[in-house]
Amino acid sequence: MKSASDEAPRAEPDIAAAHELPAGKRKLIEAALRLTAGGRNFASLGLRELAREAGLNPNTFYRHFDTLDDLAREAVEWVSRRLRPMLRRERWLAAHDQPHSVPRRACVAFFTFALENREAFLSALAEYHGTSRALREAVRATLHAVSAEMADDVVQLDLMPTLARDVVDEVCTQIVLQLFHLSAEYIDADAARRDALVGYAERFIVRLFAGSVLLAQHDAERAPMSKRA
């Protein structure tokens, strides 16, 4: 008999090892995230400033990146490659343990990751509406990937069997965007407020799915009436 951990989705080998970056590249990314966590955008960084923050020679930058946009995109991907497999595994483990616990455990996992990667999340929040189109697209592509994988898990785990896939996709997109924007408050909150935010996020997810089920039922009941009319 397979255990939950046996059945949980496994990341592809390249994804699982992708966060193991060369030391110089990792130091430059971490330095850039520290410098931009306060609201600055990546375009405002100077190469000497970045190298100084990373404790590296300025010429090291061009061994790893062509432009600051390249560094920023790599930073987003680096975080994404660690976040997404973790979330999927947490959802599957929760579903095989106690299916009703999936929303709360997923919220806790997401917010905990945000707190542990404070600079990366604050930078991503700033760039979500930032001036760099490349970075906006990189952040939004990551959020889209997170929501698409969430929808895959909802379907594969049969958590919402009465909902059509397009509805699940829409709900998961709304959930991920809400959690992403709530992460800014969670990062700066005290313990009591963090607990309250997890509770709020859990209720948001449950209500959104419950409302979608009711709406689907309503539409199904109206369909025969429309045909008769």
Side-chain angles (χ1 to χ4, degrees), residues 3-180:
S3 67
S5 59
D6 292 330
E7 297 176 359
R10 291 178 173 83
E12 295 297 325
D14 58 335
I15 293 177
H19 59 85
E20 298 298 335
L21 297 174
K25 177 178 281 191
R26 178 178 54 78
K27 287 180 180 180
L28 286 166
I29 288 174
E30 290 175 341
L33 292 175
R34 286 194 298 272
L35 291 169
T36 56
R40 292 178 60 187
N41 57 51
F42 278 85
S44 72
L45 300 179
L47 294 188
R48 290 188 178 278
E49 174 190 26
L50 182 59
R52 184 168 57 251
E53 179 70 21
L56 299 171
N57 186 295
N59 293 330
T60 304
F61 179 89
Y62 291 107
R63 296 177 193 168
H64 301 289
F65 307 105
D66 292 326
T67 66
L68 283 168
D69 273 359
D70 289 338
L71 182 152
R73 282 191 292 263
E74 179 66 34
V76 173
E77 284 298 315
W78 181 53
V79 175
S80 175
R81 290 191 295 261
R82 290 180 292 133
L83 171 65
R84 289 161 50 201
M86 180 278 295
L87 287 176
R88 299 204 73 182
R89 186 169 185 83
E90 189 63 28
R91 283 193 293 266
W92 279 70
L93 291 174
H96 285 83
D97 181 16
Q98 295 178 317
H100 69 272
S101 73
V102 174
R104 184 171 189 86
R105 285 175 61 170
C107 289
V108 170
F110 186 91
F111 287 139
T112 299
F113 186 90
L115 186 61
E116 292 172 349
N117 295 269
R118 177 183 182 278
E119 290 85 1
F121 265 72
L122 292 177
S123 294
L125 285 159
E127 295 294 348
Y128 185 79
H129 295 294
T131 58
S132 169
R133 179 177 179 180
L135 293 186
R136 290 197 308 271
E137 291 178 349
V139 172
R140 294 177 189 194
T142 290
L143 295 176
H144 175 75
V146 172
S147 65
E149 289 173 352
M150 180 181 177
D152 287 342
D153 292 344
V154 169
V155 172
Q156 291 171 24
L157 292 166
D158 204 26
L159 296 176
M160 288 289 146
T162 64
L163 292 181
R165 175 60 195 244
D166 63 324
V167 176
V168 174
D169 285 334
E170 185 175 313
V171 170
C172 290
T173 296
Q174 293 172 322
I175 289 169
V176 170
L177 286 175
Q178 178 77 332
L179 294 182
F180 176 63

Side-chain angles (χ1 to χ4, degrees), residues 189-227:
D190 58 23
R193 180 57 184 158
R194 285 174 183 164
D195 286 342
L197 286 169
V198 169
Y200 169 81
E202 179 187 11
R203 292 191 299 275
F204 175 81
I205 293 171
V206 172
R207 288 168 179 166
L208 203 55
F209 273 116
S212 297
V213 169
L214 289 175
L215 183 58
Q217 292 173 347
H218 176 71
D219 290 343
E221 291 169 357
R222 289 194 53 174
M225 297 176 59
S226 300
K227 290 180 180 179

